[in-house]
Amino acid sequence: MLFRSGAFDFVRKPIDNIELIARVRVMLRIRRSEDGLRRTDSRLESLLARRTRDLVNNEFYYRTLLQSLHEDIIVIDMDHVITDVNNAHLATTGHRRRDIVGKHCFKVTHGYDAPCDHFGERCPLPEVFRTGLPAHWQHVHTRVDGTRTHVDIVLSPMTDEDGKITHVIEAARDITDLIEAQEKLTGEHALLNAVVEGTDDAVFVKDMQGRYLMANAAACRAMRKTLEQVLTKDDADIFPPDVARRLKERSEERRVGKECRSRWSP
């Protein structure tokens, strides 16, 4: 080693002990430094391998968790770009992963070329990035086959190890059946109300305590009261004592299933 490092000069030249010792000491220090660097490099490689294993395990855990959720999940960055998606979302919408990851969420879910708020719809994504608070709302999304679905959506912030919001997790649930049932119920209620209000007969509904829950216009005219004066009240609040007593008796007969053919009048 000494010959390779320049000690060959001392074979051909007179030996200067001081210079020789200085060179040997320098080479020993270099050797110790090289050994220390190798040990440090070995420790760094071991640390890197451990960190890599941790990252792989964390990635596996994250993806397992993502795929285990029943809600439709997409992960969106602050530029509205989809960075990840779970299988539930793919199954619900009919998309393929490669067709939506890297695309804008507004393009995938609505077919828009700009964020939803450009088209008069609420887009709380910037709000979540700004406030760090979850947001909840409902949208109508479009599947691959063109069908439209009502979805209930929750946006939740996703932070890095420094607490900075880097992405937002969108969890969506198909509520189309619920919305359609509500619309059907609303339509049936409107039809029933039209029938009830269209008759000249007094029609009303009471609860088990005798309080009026509903009364049509004919019933209010017969009572000489407005609807606001009737609802939640019982007969004792509306009529004189003798009339209220008679009406209560009739109501009790109806409640127990006894036939009552008398015409209602206060």
PDB file of all heavy atoms in Angstrom, residues 86-113:
ATOM      1  N   ASN A  86     -60.569   3.718  -5.370  1.00  0.00           N
ATOM      2  CA  ASN A  86     -60.724   2.349  -4.889  1.00  0.00           C
ATOM      3  C   ASN A  86     -61.639   1.547  -5.824  1.00  0.00           C
ATOM      4  O   ASN A  86     -62.279   2.093  -6.735  1.00  0.00           O
ATOM      5  CB  ASN A  86     -61.236   2.310  -3.440  1.00  0.00           C
ATOM      6  CG  ASN A  86     -62.693   2.714  -3.312  1.00  0.00           C
ATOM      7  OD1 ASN A  86     -63.277   3.311  -4.226  1.00  0.00           O
ATOM      8  ND2 ASN A  86     -63.284   2.422  -2.166  1.00  0.00           N
ATOM      9  N   ASN A  87     -61.682   0.246  -5.588  1.00  0.00           N
ATOM     10  CA  ASN A  87     -62.444  -0.646  -6.475  1.00  0.00           C
ATOM     11  C   ASN A  87     -63.939  -0.389  -6.404  1.00  0.00           C
ATOM     12  O   ASN A  87     -64.658  -0.608  -7.390  1.00  0.00           O
ATOM     13  CB  ASN A  87     -62.145  -2.102  -6.123  1.00  0.00           C
ATOM     14  CG  ASN A  87     -60.722  -2.498  -6.463  1.00  0.00           C
ATOM     15  OD1 ASN A  87     -60.115  -1.934  -7.363  1.00  0.00           O
ATOM     16  ND2 ASN A  87     -60.179  -3.461  -5.728  1.00  0.00           N
ATOM     17  N   ALA A  88     -64.428   0.051  -5.234  1.00  0.00           N
ATOM     18  CA  ALA A  88     -65.855   0.322  -5.095  1.00  0.00           C
ATOM     19  C   ALA A  88     -66.284   1.421  -6.067  1.00  0.00           C
ATOM     20  O   ALA A  88     -67.344   1.333  -6.692  1.00  0.00           O
ATOM     21  CB  ALA A  88     -66.182   0.712  -3.653  1.00  0.00           C
ATOM     22  N   HIS A  89     -65.470   2.447  -6.181  1.00  0.00           N
ATOM     23  CA  HIS A  89     -65.784   3.532  -7.125  1.00  0.00           C
ATOM     24  C   HIS A  89     -65.804   3.013  -8.564  1.00  0.00           C
ATOM     25  O   HIS A  89     -66.696   3.366  -9.346  1.00  0.00           O
ATOM     26  CB  HIS A  89     -64.765   4.655  -6.985  1.00  0.00           C
ATOM     27  CG  HIS A  89     -64.988   5.801  -7.926  1.00  0.00           C
ATOM     28  ND1 HIS A  89     -65.774   6.886  -7.603  1.00  0.00           N
ATOM     29  CD2 HIS A  89     -64.545   6.020  -9.197  1.00  0.00           C
ATOM     30  CE1 HIS A  89     -65.796   7.724  -8.620  1.00  0.00           C
ATOM     31  NE2 HIS A  89     -65.060   7.221  -9.600  1.00  0.00           N
ATOM     32  N   LEU A  90     -64.834   2.189  -8.898  1.00  0.00           N
ATOM     33  CA  LEU A  90     -64.768   1.652 -10.259  1.00  0.00           C
ATOM     34  C   LEU A  90     -65.988   0.797 -10.562  1.00  0.00           C
ATOM     35  O   LEU A  90     -66.553   0.867 -11.658  1.00  0.00           O
ATOM     36  CB  LEU A  90     -63.478   0.841 -10.435  1.00  0.00           C
ATOM     37  CG  LEU A  90     -62.163   1.602 -10.218  1.00  0.00           C
ATOM     38  CD1 LEU A  90     -60.980   0.651 -10.368  1.00  0.00           C
ATOM     39  CD2 LEU A  90     -62.030   2.770 -11.179  1.00  0.00           C
ATOM     40  N   ALA A  91     -66.411  -0.010  -9.571  1.00  0.00           N
ATOM     41  CA  ALA A  91     -67.567  -0.885  -9.776  1.00  0.00           C
ATOM     42  C   ALA A  91     -68.849  -0.070  -9.927  1.00  0.00           C
ATOM     43  O   ALA A  91     -69.722  -0.409 -10.740  1.00  0.00           O
ATOM     44  CB  ALA A  91     -67.686  -1.853  -8.602  1.00  0.00           C
ATOM     45  N   THR A  92     -68.972   1.005  -9.158  1.00  0.00           N
ATOM     46  CA  THR A  92     -70.185   1.821  -9.198  1.00  0.00           C
ATOM     47  C   THR A  92     -70.293   2.612 -10.497  1.00  0.00           C
ATOM     48  O   THR A  92     -71.370   2.695 -11.096  1.00  0.00           O
ATOM     49  CB  THR A  92     -70.219   2.795  -8.012  1.00  0.00           C
ATOM     50  OG1 THR A  92     -70.250   2.043  -6.792  1.00  0.00           O
ATOM     51  CG2 THR A  92     -71.445   3.688  -8.074  1.00  0.00           C
ATOM     52  N   THR A  93     -69.188   3.200 -10.926  1.00  0.00           N
ATOM     53  CA  THR A  93     -69.225   4.112 -12.069  1.00  0.00           C
ATOM     54  C   THR A  93     -68.949   3.441 -13.402  1.00  0.00           C
ATOM     55  O   THR A  93     -69.282   3.996 -14.455  1.00  0.00           O
ATOM     56  CB  THR A  93     -68.196   5.241 -11.878  1.00  0.00           C
ATOM     57  OG1 THR A  93     -66.876   4.668 -11.841  1.00  0.00           O
ATOM     58  CG2 THR A  93     -68.459   5.981 -10.569  1.00  0.00           C
ATOM     59  N   GLY A  94     -68.303   2.257 -13.372  1.00  0.00           N
ATOM     60  CA  GLY A  94     -67.957   1.583 -14.614  1.00  0.00           C
ATOM     61  C   GLY A  94     -66.651   2.052 -15.223  1.00  0.00           C
ATOM     62  O   GLY A  94     -66.278   1.623 -16.314  1.00  0.00           O
ATOM     63  N   HIS A  95     -65.927   2.939 -14.520  1.00  0.00           N
ATOM     64  CA  HIS A  95     -64.640   3.421 -15.027  1.00  0.00           C
ATOM     65  C   HIS A  95     -63.556   2.350 -14.868  1.00  0.00           C
ATOM     66  O   HIS A  95     -63.684   1.443 -14.052  1.00  0.00           O
ATOM     67  CB  HIS A  95     -64.198   4.675 -14.278  1.00  0.00           C
ATOM     68  CG  HIS A  95     -64.972   5.898 -14.646  1.00  0.00           C
ATOM     69  ND1 HIS A  95     -65.815   6.548 -13.770  1.00  0.00           N
ATOM     70  CD2 HIS A  95     -65.029   6.597 -15.808  1.00  0.00           C
ATOM     71  CE1 HIS A  95     -66.355   7.592 -14.359  1.00  0.00           C
ATOM     72  NE2 HIS A  95     -65.902   7.640 -15.596  1.00  0.00           N
ATOM     73  N   ARG A  96     -62.490   2.529 -15.613  1.00  0.00           N
ATOM     74  CA  ARG A  96     -61.271   1.761 -15.401  1.00  0.00           C
ATOM     75  C   ARG A  96     -60.241   2.677 -14.746  1.00  0.00           C
ATOM     76  O   ARG A  96     -60.199   3.875 -15.041  1.00  0.00           O
ATOM     77  CB  ARG A  96     -60.733   1.225 -16.733  1.00  0.00           C
ATOM     78  CG  ARG A  96     -61.636   0.202 -17.384  1.00  0.00           C
ATOM     79  CD  ARG A  96     -61.097  -0.230 -18.733  1.00  0.00           C
ATOM     80  NE  ARG A  96     -61.000   0.901 -19.664  1.00  0.00           N
ATOM     81  CZ  ARG A  96     -60.595   0.788 -20.918  1.00  0.00           C
ATOM     82  NH1 ARG A  96     -60.233  -0.387 -21.402  1.00  0.00           N
ATOM     83  NH2 ARG A  96     -60.532   1.857 -21.700  1.00  0.00           N
ATOM     84  N   ARG A  97     -59.430   2.097 -13.888  1.00  0.00           N
ATOM     85  CA  ARG A  97     -58.475   2.903 -13.128  1.00  0.00           C
ATOM     86  C   ARG A  97     -57.589   3.758 -14.041  1.00  0.00           C
ATOM     87  O   ARG A  97     -57.389   4.945 -13.793  1.00  0.00           O
ATOM     88  CB  ARG A  97     -57.613   1.982 -12.256  1.00  0.00           C
ATOM     89  CG  ARG A  97     -56.553   2.702 -11.452  1.00  0.00           C
ATOM     90  CD  ARG A  97     -55.700   1.722 -10.651  1.00  0.00           C
ATOM     91  NE  ARG A  97     -54.610   2.421  -9.993  1.00  0.00           N
ATOM     92  CZ  ARG A  97     -54.718   3.070  -8.842  1.00  0.00           C
ATOM     93  NH1 ARG A  97     -55.890   3.109  -8.219  1.00  0.00           N
ATOM     94  NH2 ARG A  97     -53.687   3.690  -8.319  1.00  0.00           N
ATOM     95  N   ARG A  98     -57.085   3.170 -15.082  1.00  0.00           N
ATOM     96  CA  ARG A  98     -56.163   3.897 -15.954  1.00  0.00           C
ATOM     97  C   ARG A  98     -56.850   5.038 -16.704  1.00  0.00           C
ATOM     98  O   ARG A  98     -56.172   5.941 -17.218  1.00  0.00           O
ATOM     99  CB  ARG A  98     -55.527   2.937 -16.950  1.00  0.00           C
ATOM    100  CG  ARG A  98     -56.481   2.289 -17.939  1.00  0.00           C
ATOM    101  CD  ARG A  98     -55.707   1.434 -18.942  1.00  0.00           C
ATOM    102  NE  ARG A  98     -56.566   0.778 -19.905  1.00  0.00           N
ATOM    103  CZ  ARG A  98     -57.093  -0.429 -19.727  1.00  0.00           C
ATOM    104  NH1 ARG A  98     -56.838  -1.098 -18.596  1.00  0.00           N
ATOM    105  NH2 ARG A  98     -57.869  -0.973 -20.651  1.00  0.00           N
ATOM    106  N   ASP A  99     -58.191   4.997 -16.756  1.00  0.00           N
ATOM    107  CA  ASP A  99     -58.909   6.040 -17.486  1.00  0.00           C
ATOM    108  C   ASP A  99     -59.217   7.260 -16.632  1.00  0.00           C
ATOM    109  O   ASP A  99     -59.606   8.309 -17.182  1.00  0.00           O
ATOM    110  CB  ASP A  99     -60.225   5.483 -18.045  1.00  0.00           C
ATOM    111  CG  ASP A  99     -59.984   4.430 -19.110  1.00  0.00           C
ATOM    112  OD1 ASP A  99     -58.920   4.485 -19.761  1.00  0.00           O
ATOM    113  OD2 ASP A  99     -60.850   3.549 -19.283  1.00  0.00           O
ATOM    114  N   ILE A 100     -59.074   7.154 -15.312  1.00  0.00           N
ATOM    115  CA  ILE A 100     -59.440   8.308 -14.482  1.00  0.00           C
ATOM    116  C   ILE A 100     -58.295   8.828 -13.615  1.00  0.00           C
ATOM    117  O   ILE A 100     -58.282  10.016 -13.275  1.00  0.00           O
ATOM    118  CB  ILE A 100     -60.664   8.000 -13.591  1.00  0.00           C
ATOM    119  CG1 ILE A 100     -60.360   6.874 -12.600  1.00  0.00           C
ATOM    120  CG2 ILE A 100     -61.862   7.641 -14.431  1.00  0.00           C
ATOM    121  CD1 ILE A 100     -61.503   6.640 -11.629  1.00  0.00           C
ATOM    122  N   VAL A 101     -57.349   7.981 -13.217  1.00  0.00           N
ATOM    123  CA  VAL A 101     -56.211   8.468 -12.431  1.00  0.00           C
ATOM    124  C   VAL A 101     -55.379   9.399 -13.311  1.00  0.00           C
ATOM    125  O   VAL A 101     -55.001   9.060 -14.431  1.00  0.00           O
ATOM    126  CB  VAL A 101     -55.348   7.305 -11.913  1.00  0.00           C
ATOM    127  CG1 VAL A 101     -54.064   7.828 -11.278  1.00  0.00           C
ATOM    128  CG2 VAL A 101     -56.126   6.482 -10.905  1.00  0.00           C
ATOM    129  N   GLY A 102     -55.132  10.599 -12.810  1.00  0.00           N
ATOM    130  CA  GLY A 102     -54.428  11.614 -13.575  1.00  0.00           C
ATOM    131  C   GLY A 102     -55.363  12.566 -14.300  1.00  0.00           C
ATOM    132  O   GLY A 102     -54.907  13.551 -14.893  1.00  0.00           O
ATOM    133  N   LYS A 103     -56.675  12.281 -14.251  1.00  0.00           N
ATOM    134  CA  LYS A 103     -57.675  13.151 -14.883  1.00  0.00           C
ATOM    135  C   LYS A 103     -58.304  14.068 -13.828  1.00  0.00           C
ATOM    136  O   LYS A 103     -58.274  13.805 -12.638  1.00  0.00           O
ATOM    137  CB  LYS A 103     -58.764  12.317 -15.549  1.00  0.00           C
ATOM    138  CG  LYS A 103     -58.258  11.333 -16.594  1.00  0.00           C
ATOM    139  CD  LYS A 103     -57.634  12.034 -17.781  1.00  0.00           C
ATOM    140  CE  LYS A 103     -57.426  11.092 -18.957  1.00  0.00           C
ATOM    141  NZ  LYS A 103     -56.607   9.910 -18.625  1.00  0.00           N
ATOM    142  N   HIS A 104     -58.923  15.151 -14.276  1.00  0.00           N
ATOM    143  CA  HIS A 104     -59.609  16.065 -13.375  1.00  0.00           C
ATOM    144  C   HIS A 104     -60.923  15.441 -12.886  1.00  0.00           C
ATOM    145  O   HIS A 104     -61.641  14.803 -13.670  1.00  0.00           O
ATOM    146  CB  HIS A 104     -59.908  17.394 -14.067  1.00  0.00           C
ATOM    147  CG  HIS A 104     -58.680  18.223 -14.312  1.00  0.00           C
ATOM    148  ND1 HIS A 104     -58.133  18.391 -15.558  1.00  0.00           N
ATOM    149  CD2 HIS A 104     -57.893  18.920 -13.452  1.00  0.00           C
ATOM    150  CE1 HIS A 104     -57.061  19.164 -15.475  1.00  0.00           C
ATOM    151  NE2 HIS A 104     -56.893  19.494 -14.207  1.00  0.00           N
ATOM    152  N   CYS A 105     -61.219  15.647 -11.615  1.00  0.00           N
ATOM    153  CA  CYS A 105     -62.421  15.048 -11.038  1.00  0.00           C
ATOM    154  C   CYS A 105     -63.687  15.575 -11.705  1.00  0.00           C
ATOM    155  O   CYS A 105     -64.650  14.827 -11.918  1.00  0.00           O
ATOM    156  CB  CYS A 105     -62.470  15.297  -9.526  1.00  0.00           C
ATOM    157  SG  CYS A 105     -62.400  17.044  -9.041  1.00  0.00           S
ATOM    158  N   PHE A 106     -63.712  16.862 -12.048  1.00  0.00           N
ATOM    159  CA  PHE A 106     -64.909  17.427 -12.671  1.00  0.00           C
ATOM    160  C   PHE A 106     -65.153  16.844 -14.059  1.00  0.00           C
ATOM    161  O   PHE A 106     -66.288  16.745 -14.511  1.00  0.00           O
ATOM    162  CB  PHE A 106     -64.841  18.954 -12.721  1.00  0.00           C
ATOM    163  CG  PHE A 106     -63.548  19.511 -13.248  1.00  0.00           C
ATOM    164  CD1 PHE A 106     -63.292  19.563 -14.625  1.00  0.00           C
ATOM    165  CD2 PHE A 106     -62.593  19.996 -12.388  1.00  0.00           C
ATOM    166  CE1 PHE A 106     -62.103  20.076 -15.108  1.00  0.00           C
ATOM    167  CE2 PHE A 106     -61.398  20.527 -12.869  1.00  0.00           C
ATOM    168  CZ  PHE A 106     -61.145  20.567 -14.229  1.00  0.00           C
ATOM    169  N   LYS A 107     -64.089  16.440 -14.729  1.00  0.00           N
ATOM    170  CA  LYS A 107     -64.232  15.816 -16.051  1.00  0.00           C
ATOM    171  C   LYS A 107     -64.764  14.404 -15.910  1.00  0.00           C
ATOM    172  O   LYS A 107     -65.644  13.981 -16.676  1.00  0.00           O
ATOM    173  CB  LYS A 107     -62.875  15.800 -16.761  1.00  0.00           C
ATOM    174  CG  LYS A 107     -62.912  15.208 -18.170  1.00  0.00           C
ATOM    175  CD  LYS A 107     -63.684  16.107 -19.117  1.00  0.00           C
ATOM    176  CE  LYS A 107     -63.607  15.607 -20.543  1.00  0.00           C
ATOM    177  NZ  LYS A 107     -64.369  16.480 -21.470  1.00  0.00           N
ATOM    178  N   VAL A 108     -64.266  13.679 -14.900  1.00  0.00           N
ATOM    179  CA  VAL A 108     -64.651  12.278 -14.719  1.00  0.00           C
ATOM    180  C   VAL A 108     -66.084  12.159 -14.211  1.00  0.00           C
ATOM    181  O   VAL A 108     -66.850  11.325 -14.698  1.00  0.00           O
ATOM    182  CB  VAL A 108     -63.674  11.588 -13.737  1.00  0.00           C
ATOM    183  CG1 VAL A 108     -64.183  10.197 -13.355  1.00  0.00           C
ATOM    184  CG2 VAL A 108     -62.284  11.498 -14.355  1.00  0.00           C
ATOM    185  N   THR A 109     -66.476  12.980 -13.241  1.00  0.00           N
ATOM    186  CA  THR A 109     -67.780  12.814 -12.595  1.00  0.00           C
ATOM    187  C   THR A 109     -68.903  13.592 -13.267  1.00  0.00           C
ATOM    188  O   THR A 109     -70.071  13.233 -13.120  1.00  0.00           O
ATOM    189  CB  THR A 109     -67.705  13.235 -11.124  1.00  0.00           C
ATOM    190  OG1 THR A 109     -67.273  14.606 -11.034  1.00  0.00           O
ATOM    191  CG2 THR A 109     -66.733  12.353 -10.363  1.00  0.00           C
ATOM    192  N   HIS A 110     -68.553  14.669 -13.999  1.00  0.00           N
ATOM    193  CA  HIS A 110     -69.592  15.505 -14.602  1.00  0.00           C
ATOM    194  C   HIS A 110     -69.436  15.703 -16.111  1.00  0.00           C
ATOM    195  O   HIS A 110     -70.358  16.162 -16.766  1.00  0.00           O
ATOM    196  CB  HIS A 110     -69.615  16.885 -13.942  1.00  0.00           C
ATOM    197  CG  HIS A 110     -70.020  16.885 -12.508  1.00  0.00           C
ATOM    198  ND1 HIS A 110     -69.143  16.610 -11.483  1.00  0.00           N
ATOM    199  CD2 HIS A 110     -71.211  17.118 -11.918  1.00  0.00           C
ATOM    200  CE1 HIS A 110     -69.768  16.685 -10.334  1.00  0.00           C
ATOM    201  NE2 HIS A 110     -71.023  16.981 -10.556  1.00  0.00           N
ATOM    202  N   GLY A 111     -68.244  15.410 -16.616  1.00  0.00           N
ATOM    203  CA  GLY A 111     -68.004  15.680 -18.031  1.00  0.00           C
ATOM    204  C   GLY A 111     -67.699  17.140 -18.299  1.00  0.00           C
ATOM    205  O   GLY A 111     -67.716  17.587 -19.454  1.00  0.00           O
ATOM    206  N   TYR A 112     -67.392  17.915 -17.245  1.00  0.00           N
ATOM    207  CA  TYR A 112     -67.084  19.332 -17.394  1.00  0.00           C
ATOM    208  C   TYR A 112     -65.615  19.532 -17.791  1.00  0.00           C
ATOM    209  O   TYR A 112     -64.765  18.685 -17.528  1.00  0.00           O
ATOM    210  CB  TYR A 112     -67.349  20.094 -16.089  1.00  0.00           C
ATOM    211  CG  TYR A 112     -68.792  20.126 -15.644  1.00  0.00           C
ATOM    212  CD1 TYR A 112     -69.119  20.328 -14.301  1.00  0.00           C
ATOM    213  CD2 TYR A 112     -69.832  19.981 -16.562  1.00  0.00           C
ATOM    214  CE1 TYR A 112     -70.438  20.371 -13.881  1.00  0.00           C
ATOM    215  CE2 TYR A 112     -71.150  20.019 -16.150  1.00  0.00           C
ATOM    216  CZ  TYR A 112     -71.450  20.213 -14.801  1.00  0.00           C
ATOM    217  OH  TYR A 112     -72.753  20.251 -14.384  1.00  0.00           O
ATOM    218  N   ASP A 113     -65.351  20.697 -18.362  1.00  0.00           N
ATOM    219  CA  ASP A 113     -63.982  21.067 -18.692  1.00  0.00           C
ATOM    220  C   ASP A 113     -63.398  22.062 -17.697  1.00  0.00           C
ATOM    221  O   ASP A 113     -62.281  22.571 -17.899  1.00  0.00           O
ATOM    222  CB  ASP A 113     -63.929  21.674 -20.108  1.00  0.00           C
ATOM    223  CG  ASP A 113     -64.271  20.654 -21.182  1.00  0.00           C
ATOM    224  OD1 ASP A 113     -63.858  19.481 -21.022  1.00  0.00           O
ATOM    225  OD2 ASP A 113     -64.945  21.012 -22.162  1.00  0.00           O
TER     226      ASP A 113
END
